[in-house]
Amino acid sequence: MNHLTVESTDKAEFYQQMAQQHGTPLLILDCDQLVKQFNVLTEALPGVELYYAIKALPHPAAIQTLDVLGAGFDIASSGEIELIREQGASARHTIHTHPIKRDSDIRDALRFGCTTFVVDNIWELEKFVEYRHRVGLLVRVSFPNPNTKIDLSRKFGCREDEVSMLIQKAQSLGLHVKGLSFHAGSQCPDSRNHVHAVEQCAKIIDDVYQNSGKLLSVLDIGGGFPVEYIESVMDIESFCAPIRLALKNLPDHLQIIAEPGRYLCAPAMTSVSSVMGKAKRGDTCWYYLDDGVYGSYSGQLFDHVTYPLTLYSDIKENEMAVLAGPTCDSIDVIAEQVSISPLSIGDLVVGHQMGAYTSATSTNFNLFDKAKIVVINQAVKTVKNVLQFGKN
Ligand SMILES: Cc1ncc(COP(=O)(O)O)c(C=O)c1O
């Protein structure tokens, strides 16, 4: 599928202005999009508390925006805790979801005020013994998902038949297990694995109660909600409808939380890079951009995603082209064998849906600068300031 469109529209002017004002490479973070995504997912999953997985886009403006909307935060490292702390977000609405932690990670999280942690094995449980009066644990269960390229159940999560043994072990250590968690895989093409996982967790929760009288009170259904890149995906309402049905069958007392990353932030960021050089190699024109797979397009390697691109041109005839990044490595190519109008040095290439797992995983290999992130429409920050003023 050709993921490149050529347009000559007013939008080009906006990107030109931004490029002139800030230089390239750029990433434009539009907070209005974060608000929209949060509201749509909240409507699609009523009664589910959303904890933003900040690993997807650990940017202060994203955290401030989602904090004002009432999101909680999924944190997985001391660095992420520090970022949340700096934005003044409440520790009460955080969960530490990394199943493997050092003692210093646990201490940093507790010092911050985060008291919910995810575990998936005995050795991890033992790390909590000295903090047993201060923590509530979620046992992460693995539900492999062969339907997505980003299956997060290989590296983490215990088998379903290990849960009761872990809960017994926790009880013998004086630890409080308050629930279960899973991650059905990222960028899931459909919600079958979410539904399967919810149903299996319901059985486990029932078994635990029948066998030990212990009532688990939390189910964390993870992330995995998809966005459209170059292939179309289910709209979020259709994706969530079967999950809603499955959740309806759970006992009323259960608190349901989710940890969306990609869905909230992917549409919120747009990349603007420019052509810094060109060469004719055989029949193909090579364009060298000032951003590539070692930079904002790192998700093409790490996240297995190809981003929709737009070029702005009035020229009608096409040529075969390669769009490459700036580094000296030959894997640094973002689009190959594309048929596009000829570009000039300085022309812009715009990448869409580039908020999730892009700047988060970019490097400055070859010491090329990472793209500058420019925030627009950060209105809710002002609202928060006003609210804070109101408190004083
Ligand atoms: C524990 C955990 N929670 C949530 C997420 C976010 O997933 P997604 O971006 O698919 O919503 C991830 C992604 O790696 C994760 O590992």
Side-chain angles (χ1 to χ4, degrees):
M1 184 183 296
N2 193 351
H3 57 287
L4 239 144
T5 52
V6 179
E7 290 177 14
S8 60
T9 67
D10 292 349
K11 268 203 181 159
E13 250 175 59
F14 168 70
Y15 295 125
Q16 284 290 358
Q17 271 172 17
M18 293 297 276
Q20 263 159 23
Q21 195 180 340
H22 302 284
T24 60
L26 258 192
L27 283 164
I28 303 168
L29 170 53
D30 183 352
C31 294
D32 276 354
Q33 284 295 324
L34 288 168
V35 174
K36 184 175 154 236
Q37 294 298 104
F38 181 85
N39 288 338
V40 171
L41 192 56
T42 303
E43 259 182 48
L45 291 174
V48 178
E49 293 167 33
L50 303 184
Y51 283 63
Y52 171 52
I54 72 169
K55 59 179 76 66
L57 175 58
H59 191 278
I63 289 157
Q64 288 163 9
T65 302
L66 292 166
D67 185 33
V68 171
L69 293 173
F73 296 98
D74 151 6
I75 48 185
S77 71
S78 297
E80 291 184 355
I81 290 170
E82 210 35 54
L83 180 59
I84 292 278
R85 190 204 305 275
E86 283 163 8
Q87 307 322 310
S90 160
R92 270 197 314 129
H93 296 121
T94 56
I95 47 174
H96 195 296
T97 61
H98 202 309
I100 306 293
K101 294 159 285 299
R102 292 162 294 201
D103 184 54
S104 59
D105 298 320
I106 299 171
R107 281 175 186 275
D108 285 346
L110 285 173
R111 207 174 297 123
F112 172 56
C114 172
T115 55
T116 301
F117 294 84
V118 168
V119 293
D120 67 2
N121 67 80
I122 284 182
W123 295 277
E124 205 64 19
L125 279 177
E126 286 170 347
K127 293 178 189 172
F128 284 95
V129 170
E130 66 175 297
Y131 311 110
R132 63 186 171 279
H133 300 302
R134 300 163 65 190
V135 300
L137 304 176
L138 304 179
V139 173
R140 176 156 163 181
V141 192
S142 163
F143 293 99
N145 190 347
N147 290 329
T148 172
K149 285 187 206 151
I150 312 157
D151 185 350
L152 298 169
S153 282
R154 187 172 83 94
K155 188 167 170 186
F156 299 119
C158 67
R159 290 195 320 264
E160 290 171 57
D161 62 6
E162 291 173 321
V163 175
S164 63
M165 173 276 290
L166 284 174
I167 290 178
Q168 274 169 28
K169 176 75 182 172
Q171 277 180 319
S172 73
L173 294 171
L175 293 165
H176 173 47
V177 173
K178 59 180 185 178
L180 304 180
S181 81
F182 63 80
H183 198 300
S186 198
Q187 183 65 3
C188 294
D190 57 58
S191 51
R192 276 177 297 177
N193 206 37
H194 286 83
V195 170
H196 170 69
V198 168
E199 288 169 354
Q200 293 307 107
C201 285
K203 281 188 196 148
I204 295 171
I205 289 167
D206 189 47
D207 284 352
V208 168
Y209 182 64
Q210 300 301 334
N211 297 333
S212 68
K214 180 162 179 59
L215 199 60
L216 298 177
S217 61
V218 180
L219 179 61
D220 175 354
I221 65 171
F225 309 96
V227 297
E228 188 154 316
Y229 292 104
I230 60 165
E231 280 156 18
S232 56
V233 292
M234 279 175 121
D235 65 273
I236 199 67
E237 166 54 30
S238 314
F239 187 91
C240 290
I243 302 177
R244 281 201 304 271
L245 274 181
L247 293 177
K248 263 201 186 138
N249 295 326
L250 296 177
D252 286 343
H253 75 274
L254 267 188
Q255 177 195 9
I256 312 295
I257 65 181
E259 305 160 6
R262 182 189 309 279
Y263 184 81
L264 297 184
C265 66
M269 214 149 69
T270 305
S271 150
V272 182
S273 56
S274 55
V275 177
M276 56 185 226
K278 59 194 270 188
K280 192 88 182 170
R281 310 204 186 279
D283 292 338
T284 303
C285 202
W286 281 67
Y287 294 106
Y288 300 88
L289 312 180
D290 54 12
D291 208 346
V293 299
Y294 282 94
S296 307
Y297 289 83
S298 55
Q300 292 202 184
L301 289 182
F302 295 125
D303 196 33
H304 314 286
V305 160
T306 307
Y307 304 99
L309 304 174
T310 309
L311 311 172
Y312 295 93
S313 171
D314 293 324
I315 305 171
K316 291 285 173 260
E317 77 266 20
N318 278 4
E319 62 178 5
M320 288 314 281
V322 174
L323 301 179
T327 70
C328 298
D329 191 346
S330 51
I331 64 160
D332 190 5
V333 164
I334 64 169
E336 249 180 289
Q337 293 297 308
V338 284
S339 171
I340 57 171
S341 335
L343 297 174
S344 303
I345 291 171
D347 279 357
L348 300 183
V349 173
V350 174
H352 306 277
Q353 303 285 72
M354 289 192 60
Y357 311 112
T358 54
S359 57
T361 49
S362 67
T363 74
N364 65 344
F365 175 52
N366 262 182
L367 300 189
F368 279 105
D369 286 340
K370 292 186 188 183
K372 176 179 174 187
I373 300 181
V374 176
V375 179
I376 62 171
N377 295 324
Q378 204 183 354
V380 283
K381 168 98 189 297
T382 322
V383 172
K384 189 175 187 193
N385 288 341
V386 170
L387 290 176
Q388 281 172 345
F389 272 120
K391 270 190 215 159
N392 293 333

